[in-house]
Amino acid sequence: MKSFILKGDIAYSISKERTEYLENAYLVCEDGVSKGVFRSLPEEYAHLPLSDRTGKLIIPGLVDLHIHAPQFAYRGLGMDMELLDWLNAYAFPEEAKYNDLAYAERAYTIFSQAMKNCATTRACVFSTLHKDATVLLMEQLEYSGIVSYVGKVNMDRESPESYKEASAEESLKSTREWIEETKGRFENTYPIITPRFVPSCTGELLKGLSELSEEYALPVQSHLSENPSEVELVRTLEPLCPFYGAVYEKYALFGGDKKTVMAHCVYSSDEEIRLMKQNGVYIAHCPASNMNVSSGIAPVRKYLDADLHIGLGSDVAGGQTESLFSTIVEAVQNSKLYWRVVDQKYPPLRFEEAFYLATKGGGSFFGKVGSFEEGYEFDALVFDDSRIRHPQKLSLPERLERLVYLGGDRRCMKEKYVRGTQIDLDE
Amino acid sequence: MKSFILKGDIAYSISKERTEYLENAYLVCEDGVSKGVFRSLPEEYAHLPLSDRTGKLIIPGLVDLHIHAPQFAYRGLGMDMELLDWLNAYAFPEEAKYNDLAYAERAYTIFSQAMKNCATTRACVFSTLHKDATVLLMEQLEYSGIVSYVGKVNMDRESPESYKEASAEESLKSTREWIEETKGRFENTYPIITPRFVPSCTGELLKGLSELSEEYALPVQSHLSENPSEVELVRTLEPLCPFYGAVYEKYALFGGDKKTVMAHCVYSSDEEIRLMKQNGVYIAHCPASNMNVSSGIAPVRKYLDADLHIGLGSDVAGGQTESLFSTIVEAVQNSKLYWRVVDQKYPPLRFEEAFYLATKGGGSFFGKVGSFEEGYEFDALVFDDSRIRHPQKLSLPERLERLVYLGGDRRCMKEKYVRGTQIDLDE
């Protein structure tokens, strides 16, 4: 049943400047696509079944532009380290375990159930180096009901022997096999080309991945300008490239005809920003991770003002939680600190701007996603925010802000729809 | 029954440098006081009833050195403003409502139930200007089972007409009445002298409050050096005082023989820090609030290195949640940003240091509180962290870090003890 009506109190972004709030309104889904929100129900939809959610708060599904599935198993652990140390001490040894399919199944089952039950409806997901474990992850995510891009990770240099591919050739071979095995196989789960980041990929590997992206028409995800020591390492490894993003650009893995999302961009230079803008590269802003591994604060206001494509990422396990409500709050908080301690030229994000980033901003990476405007794919969440007790009446904008700030995704979410299909949430 | 034994996996701070972790250990409570933690049960306690919590995680109760009870009703609202604007737009109008006892009862019931059910066992609480509503709040908090200092707030200048006391004299009169009415009346709830902050208190008022503190031997709480515009306002209002804290010192409201806790201290000068150290003033570090109202980042490492008294505060509703697990995480995260973007002289807090702040660090404001060492008052929390699924075995230090980072206070807390009395948690 992909055609129906939800009635309730509805909030969604039209643009970063404008949020729509309609109480007691009708949200129409036809064949998994939104027909819009109406104060009174148009005659033409009167025949559709109506689910009365009066008093409930309804918003678009949330979009996570950056999350590491194998790191979910150690979220909230080892948070006293900086990025490169943390990768070597925690991330790489943990990811290496996914060579064991039994372990992968145990861990990815937990991850996929979390994805199913949280407020995320779309995600760009990093897997590990392992082809088989990546296929398994895609099967699990398909079962979760969310829509995702999933990438087998590539690494052929500057990595521990226990977690590195033998050569660019080997890496490309297994990547091609993985693509062949998964492309077109799932309804909601798609492969995405995923060089881990410049430090761990040779030019030969990046070139080959670019060709695979071209050949199979696949999008690209990676990391960019996250941490000072990482940026410095890239400068040492690629002395001929004027800035970090120029390495991806050199191999045609930086937007343009290839849809591309880059995580972090905390230290992007003006040249890098210009190139991202020109090539339509997406930024996945991951504030929790940027704090946890001591990277810094990304200048999100600058990116918004420059009209770059930008959305939010939980970056589990650099970020400790998959909750994008937390990420919204952290994005606002970090932008306030940026304004206060870094540069008062850039005013803090308003709540509604961060809400936009988590929905329509990141959503456009997936097409018409993240809003309830007519023609948008129908991803929706229904919350019973009456569970958060309050001594007085609140307006709908206040209810939305409170729901997000108080982590209502964990306590109050009652229904979740992806492309018009209702997900069967676990209690 | 205030004498018993808990058996389980136990973690607690000895000092900011040292955390004890004991699996399958015995925590002995005798007459509401800890007799220590033992790997095997000493013969002398063999007669006490034993609660077997094998596999559960047991830690000391958490201490909130700064929270505004009347602001609980609008936590997570109006977060797009800076401190002084936010006070005028949200805090003061909301607090004014507590003149209406019916409203106060409705709101404080919600607040007290939250205090009862969260991981906080001790709190320093701001009320409003209103004597009767403050008494009501104290009754409610006594019922919640936590131990708290509660302050009727004083304000006689630089405040809206609708939320201001008529004169210093009036303010002092109603404060004296409130003290007479509540001092010694409750087992777990005590009055504390509470000038809101320098901007809203005349010298005459501060002088009178200091005398009341002396006369009744009451501790003191207020705000200090929170936000640049507030610090500037104090400079304008008190041009003869060399720094903010010197105003409190001038009226003998700044430690010494009066136990004093000051919230924030984001912008304390070296002189102010020296005076806090000399007078034993406590700092309530409130990282969420400092982000939300764009105050900045407090230099906590500097305070720890100087051996100042310091603990954590949720500062609801500057902070959006009463969860001190969140505050621990935010304290670590903010210290990382301080190191990265402000001053690399001050390394980030380690997780265990922030855990210390939330327990023994703030606890000493209440006496021997916040640890399980022998002689400490028995405040304890029991968590079933098996509810956070994980594909592999974790060590006890890892379990503690994960529990805190993943907000286990909300999902996993099973039992709460204050001074040896078990609190009857709501489901």
Side-chain angles (χ1 to χ4, degrees), chain A residues 73 79 97 113 336 390 392, chain B residues 73 79 97 336 390 392:
Chain A
M79 301 266 68
K97 293 184 194 163
Q113 289 185 352
K336 288 172 175 173
H390 195 275
Q392 61 193 324
Chain B
M79 302 267 63
K97 292 185 196 163
K336 288 172 175 173
H390 195 273
Q392 62 193 323

Side-chain angles (χ1 to χ4, degrees), chain B residues 251-267:
Chain B
Y251 299 103
L253 285 166
F254 205 59
D257 59 343
K258 296 189 191 77
K259 192 165 63 175
T260 300
V261 57
M262 289 285 162
H264 304 303
C265 304
V266 178
Y267 295 99

Side-chain angles (χ1 to χ4, degrees), chain A residues 106-151:
Chain A
R106 208 155 67 236
Y108 282 151
T109 303
I110 297 173
F111 171 72
S112 305
Q113 289 185 352
M115 286 298 102
K116 176 181 158 195
N117 290 298
C118 75
T120 301
T121 54
R122 310 269 168 159
C124 293
V125 183
F126 278 55
S127 172
T128 62
L129 298 182
H130 316 99
K131 175 179 82 71
D132 292 344
T134 305
V135 174
L136 188 149
L137 171 62
M138 294 175 80
E139 291 166 351
Q140 294 266 11
L141 279 172
E142 181 73 7
Y143 175 78
S144 79
I146 73 164
V147 176
S148 62
Y149 287 109
V150 177

